Amino acid sequence: AQTVTQSQPEMSVQEAETVTLSCTYDTSESDYYLFWYKQPPSRQMILVIRQEAYKQQNATENRFSVNFQKAAKSFSLKISDSQLGDAAMYFCAYRSAFNNAGNMLTFGGGTRLMVKP
Amino acid sequence: NAGVMQNPRHLVRRRGQEARLRCSPMKGHSHVYWYRQLPEEGLKFMVYLQKENIIDESGMPKERFSAEFPKEGPSILRIQQVVRGDSAAYFCASSTGQGGNTIYFGEGSWLTVV
């Protein structure tokens, strides 16, 4: 079974600065997908960014980018030019690419990000 | 294109009552997932359904919990004889299929058992 670990329960960043959230995972599969979801105080789960394991290039979405290290099974999220609206819980998630391996997302325990004005 | 719709958003039940949570997937999505989030914890997978079929229920408690996704109508997560430990946020999500298809979440249903 796959596991996802987020070792930072809480992080804080100054507005306009850059912060990196860590995520590691454990799997024996070679093909999979990785995601970062944001959960603001409204509690809705919002997809921030996704990465296909077969792609070497790191995904980027505006101020959000990832550092995907497949060999190390590491998938960190970098938020540049942090804004007050970035304050939320951030969850890293794994999903198998194989149809017979289950189709669910496996989530890490989350990192609470606080943004200081 | 409406997103994943869940209702009710908030539900209060007394111990021993039944709770029914409904989920309408995004238009064109035939795969539905239910997750549970306890306070201050991450989301835990419960069940994965396609129309009229339960594909994976490995995360469902063995008793009192059931789920369905009928040919017509929303998916239903049913909790019988609720206990205080069932108090949680229940999220529904949907997708078009497996693998890399993005899973979209609803806004969640908050169950409080008093």
Side-chain angles (χ1 to χ4, degrees):
Chain A
Q2 293 79 25
T3 58
V4 178
T5 302
Q6 293 178 249
S7 59
Q8 305 155 317
E10 283 190 1
M11 291 284 285
S12 66
V13 63
Q14 204 70 35
E15 195 176 4
E17 296 294 310
T18 296
V19 65
T20 298
L21 308 183
S22 301
C23 173
T24 58
Y25 57 95
D26 188 23
T27 184
S28 58
E29 298 175 336
S30 58
D31 199 11
Y32 47 86
Y33 302 88
L34 296 165
F35 305 83
W36 278 97
Y37 281 86
K38 170 185 177 181
Q39 188 178 43
S42 66
R43 303 296 294 274
Q44 185 172 5
M45 293 292 288
I46 302 167
L47 177 65
V48 175
I49 199 165
R50 58 174 276 168
Q51 173 81 41
E52 291 85 353
Y54 64 84
K55 289 186 177 178
Q56 291 187 340
Q57 186 173 6
N58 288 324
T60 299
E61 287 287 344
N62 300 315
R63 297 183 296 107
F64 298 86
S65 62
V66 299
N67 183 7
F68 173 47
Q69 302 289 329
K70 191 172 184 180
K73 296 180 183 175
S74 170
F75 182 60
S76 61
L77 174 70
K78 185 171 84 170
I79 306 174
S80 304
D81 185 24
S82 297
Q83 300 175 0
L84 295 177
D86 295 334
M89 283 290 289
Y90 285 82
F91 292 98
C92 178
Y94 172 102
R95 186 180 185 191
S96 173
F98 296 99
N99 289 345
N100 63 349
N103 199 33
M104 74 291 289
L105 287 165
T106 300
F107 285 90
T111 296
R112 183 178 303 280
L113 177 66
M114 294 173 285
V115 180
K116 299 176 181 177
Chain B
N1 187 13
V4 179
M5 304 300 292
Q6 289 188 246
N7 68 83
R9 292 295 310 280
H10 299 275
L11 182 64
V12 179
R13 285 287 179 265
R14 295 187 183 279
R15 281 178 293 172
Q17 291 185 319
E18 178 180 288
R20 284 190 179 222
L21 309 177
R22 289 176 291 278
C23 170
S24 296
M26 284 182 70
K27 187 177 181 181
H29 288 192
S30 59
H31 298 246
V32 166
Y33 318 81
W34 285 95
Y35 287 80
R36 178 165 65 175
Q37 185 178 32
L38 295 172
E40 303 302 319
E41 293 188 12
L43 279 73
K44 296 288 193 282
F45 168 78
M46 299 182 74
V47 62
Y48 161 44
L49 311 102
Q50 294 181 28
K51 284 285 187 180
E52 300 185 276
N53 287 305
I54 296 175
I55 306 302
D56 185 336
E57 56 182 346
S58 58
M60 286 279 271
K62 294 289 185 267
E63 296 178 348
R64 302 187 297 108
F65 285 72
S66 62
E68 62 177 8
F69 188 18
K71 186 176 180 180
E72 301 291 337
S75 175
I76 306 288
L77 179 67
R78 181 182 178 203
I79 311 171
Q80 295 178 289
Q81 300 173 351
V82 297
V83 301
R84 287 222 172 110
D86 297 333
S87 296
Y90 292 84
F91 286 90
C92 174
S94 73
S95 76
T96 57
Q98 298 177 334
N101 299 94
T102 297
I103 296 177
Y104 295 91
F105 283 82
E107 295 184 330
S109 290
W110 274 261
L111 172 65
T112 301
V113 180
V114 297

